[in-house]
Amino acid sequence: MSEQCTQKRICPFATILGEDSEEVMLLRNFRDNVLSKTPKGQEIIRLYYQWSPVIVRAMEEDEEFKEDVKGMLDGVLPLIGKEIE
């Protein structure tokens, strides 16, 4: 299950970090090599893409919310990096 962000699938994390950033590549690696391997992980992926357009829209309308999402992301990226190692 290698879903990519496209015009149809808007990615909040790519919106914040940049489509080809190292962090987004790490997140995609985690999605493809960890989450996609289990039913619960697949459900997380499905929910992420289901809610992504709403999250991106909210970030566009509320800079404080966007900063909160970025802060959460900054906190979780080191944990994901350790999981992939």
Side-chain angles (χ1 to χ4, degrees):
M1 177 181 296
S2 180
E3 298 182 58
Q4 295 293 322
C5 294
T6 64
Q7 293 293 68
K8 282 182 143 180
R9 295 187 184 279
I10 300 170
C11 298
F13 300 150
T15 300
I16 292 172
L17 301 168
E19 184 67 34
D20 296 319
S21 70
E22 188 175 313
E23 295 89 352
V24 169
M25 296 301 166
L26 173 70
L27 290 166
R28 288 179 179 148
N29 185 355
F30 183 70
R31 175 198 63 200
D32 295 342
N33 296 304
V34 177
L35 291 178
S36 69
K37 305 294 184 199
T38 67
K40 286 183 182 181
Q42 291 168 12
E43 179 66 7
I44 290 169
I45 293 167
R46 186 190 70 72
L47 288 170
Y48 175 80
Y49 286 110
Q50 176 183 339
W51 287 98
S52 288
V54 174
I55 294 168
V56 169
R57 205 167 338 157
M59 289 190 310
E60 291 171 347
E61 295 173 4
D62 186 341
E63 190 64 32
E64 186 176 334
F65 176 67
K66 182 177 180 179
E67 289 302 314
D68 289 344
V69 172
K70 182 166 180 355
M72 183 230 22
L73 207 82
D74 290 342
V76 79
L77 281 169
L79 300 172
I80 290 173
K82 288 180 184 177
E83 184 68 29
I84 295 215
E85 292 177 350

